[in-house]
Amino acid sequence: MHTIRTRSTAVATAVLLAGLSLTACQNDGVSRTPQSAGTGGATAPQSPASTPPAGTAGGSTTGDKGTGTGTGSGTAGKSAGGTGNATGGGDSSPVTCTGENTKVVVSEVSRPVNHLLLTVTNTGSRDCAAYHAPLLRFDDEQSATRIIDGSKPQAVVTLAPGRSAYAAVTLSSADGSGSNGRTAKRLTVHFAPRGGSGSTGAPAELTLPAGTYKDDNAAVTYWQSDMSDALTH
């Protein structure tokens, strides 16, 4: 009987120890779950560290200010303005020669006979074009003097400031066959526009050399760049 009780006690003790061991194992397994949760909880607090994206957004706003549209437009406006000023100041096209930007002189020549020479000089600050031929009126004549068509140059004569052009005036027939001959005292020189119709600008009023005789055969050449070309007609 004593032996049986001893064995029963031993068995009960073994069962108790096994139960305690199982309980310890179960408790050990449950204790790892909070660690896992603790690890997840440790990661979650790091979310404030992800605030740099918000900081990045703030940086973007600052960048927008640096790339301001107003600054860009202002610079473009200045460039356009500069271009406009340059274009305005760079206009080099010639103006039309008139009595306002030239000086006209009439003079006698020895050859050919019965001729006068008109010299027009650019007194302005820009090039001027002496279009076609001078339109002449002696004294109070109503009609302009005939123009010699064969004297037309190949190109329009353009005068730089200080330069001159020339036109020859035939006063009368060399053989005296012209009609209505008389002595003239004044000569009005009108300037032709580019289109050639009518006159433009202020005319030049000249006093003729004393004893200038003319008749109905009077004529004038186109403006020439060379004096000798004018006097060949």
Side-chain angles (χ1 to χ4, degrees):
M1 289 295 291
H2 182 268
T3 301
I4 292 172
R5 289 179 181 177
T6 301
R7 288 180 179 178
S8 298
T9 302
V11 171
T13 301
V15 171
L16 178 62
L17 290 174
L20 291 173
S21 175
L22 177 61
T23 303
C25 290
Q26 290 175 348
N27 289 340
D28 182 60
V30 171
S31 69
R32 291 179 185 174
T33 303
Q35 287 180 5
S36 234
T39 304
T43 305
Q46 291 180 359
S47 61
S50 65
T51 51
T56 304
S60 175
T61 303
T62 303
D64 289 343
K65 291 180 181 178
T67 336
T69 306
T71 303
S73 298
T75 304
K78 290 178 182 177
S79 298
T83 305
N85 292 338
T87 305
D91 185 7
S92 59
S93 58
V95 297
T96 302
C97 295
T98 66
E100 297 161 335
N101 56 16
T102 64
K103 180 180 180 180
V104 184
V105 176
V106 58
S107 56
E108 294 178 294
V109 293
S110 57
R111 297 181 65 85
V113 295
N114 303 329
H115 276 65
L116 295 176
L117 180 67
L118 292 176
T119 302
V120 59
T121 302
N122 183 356
T123 58
S125 58
R126 293 175 59 180
D127 292 1
C128 76
Y131 292 113
H132 306 286
L135 308 174
L136 306 183
R137 283 186 171 82
F138 289 88
D139 294 327
D140 297 324
E141 290 181 352
Q142 298 300 310
S143 59
T145 302
R146 179 176 62 89
I147 296 171
I148 302 172
D149 291 333
S151 66
K152 186 176 182 178
Q154 293 183 346
V156 174
V157 178
T158 301
L159 305 178
R163 305 291 293 181
S164 300
Y166 309 90
V169 182
T170 301
L171 293 171
S172 60
S173 300
D175 58 4
S177 60
S179 58
N180 298 317
R182 63 182 183 84
T183 300
K185 297 182 178 180
R186 292 178 292 105
L187 180 65
T188 302
V189 181
H190 294 270
F191 295 85
R194 182 174 184 175
S197 179
S199 62
T200 185
E205 301 286 350
L206 306 177
T207 299
L208 291 169
T212 297
Y213 178 86
K214 71 163 294 282
D215 62 25
D216 290 344
N217 286 332
V220 64
T221 67
Y222 279 75
W223 290 114
Q224 309 288 333
S225 58
D226 188 90
M227 182 189 304
S228 59
D229 289 340
L231 292 175
T232 56
H233 298 280

